[in-house]
Amino acid sequence: MKVSTTLNVSAEYMFSRLVDNALYDIKQETGKSISADELEGVSYKTHVDKRTPAKLLITKIVKNRSYHYKLESKDEVLNAAYELVELAKDKVCVTYSESLLEKKPLAKFRLKVETKCLGWLRRYNFVKLLKNFEVGY
């Protein structure tokens, strides 16, 4: 899935919201506090949902430009990336992309069906979620 939208916020604000979210998750899951400069390469155990444990690895951080991570559970691997392009002082183009790799054949089939049938709804809801960042700006 790939979603791109323009928001009326600065790139710095959007990036800091993404980083703050990551720092909060790390604090909740590990009990450790780290700084934003230490994020790249951090790996910790988390959950996809209440019953599915996973390992999250922050793979790439470029200040005010990009945030990439990998979430791996026993059944799937999700690679996700946020790319930020500053268009003006208070305008940024956010591109979110993800690739989901299923490890089981039946799950691969389910993913294809879900993507065909409900992919548009997921993209619509994700853009709506990103637009909510403008409210707090």
Side-chain angles (χ1 to χ4, degrees):
M1 176 178 88
K2 188 171 185 175
V3 176
S4 186
T5 189
T6 301
L7 301 176
N8 293 315
V9 299
S10 67
E12 294 85 16
Y13 174 79
M14 187 65 197
F15 184 78
S16 70
R17 294 294 305 259
L18 293 171
V19 167
D20 288 347
N21 189 18
L23 293 173
Y24 177 80
D25 286 347
I26 291 168
K27 176 73 173 169
Q28 290 296 107
E29 295 294 336
T30 67
K32 296 178 183 177
S33 294
I34 63 170
S35 70
D37 297 332
E38 301 170 312
L39 268 179
E40 190 167 340
V42 169
S43 175
Y44 61 95
K45 292 180 181 178
T46 187
H47 289 83
V48 176
D49 55 36
K50 289 183 180 181
R51 295 178 284 165
T52 310
K55 179 182 173 186
L56 192 135
L57 170 66
I58 299 174
T59 56
K60 180 180 175 186
I61 296 276
V62 178
K63 188 172 183 174
N64 301 332
R65 301 288 311 213
S66 75
Y67 172 73
H68 297 223
Y69 66 91
K70 176 180 171 181
L71 182 66
E72 185 172 0
S73 69
K74 72 174 192 165
D75 295 331
E76 61 190 24
V77 177
L78 172 73
N79 289 304
Y82 290 89
E83 296 293 336
L84 309 174
V85 177
E86 190 170 20
L87 303 174
K89 183 179 181 235
D90 287 335
K91 190 171 259 187
V92 65
C93 178
V94 179
T95 302
Y96 171 79
S97 59
E98 70 178 22
S99 63
L100 183 63
L101 305 169
E102 295 286 352
K103 296 179 181 176
K104 296 181 178 178
L106 187 58
K108 287 180 185 179
F109 176 73
R110 178 191 53 81
L111 178 63
K112 283 185 180 183
V113 171
E114 278 182 11
T115 302
K116 292 275 186 197
C117 297
L118 297 174
W120 65 272
L121 180 61
R122 191 159 178 262
R123 281 188 294 280
Y124 171 79
N125 285 336
F126 195 78
V127 168
K128 203 167 141 180
L129 175 107
L130 287 174
K131 291 287 185 183
N132 283 331
F133 283 108
E134 290 179 333
V135 174
Y137 185 61

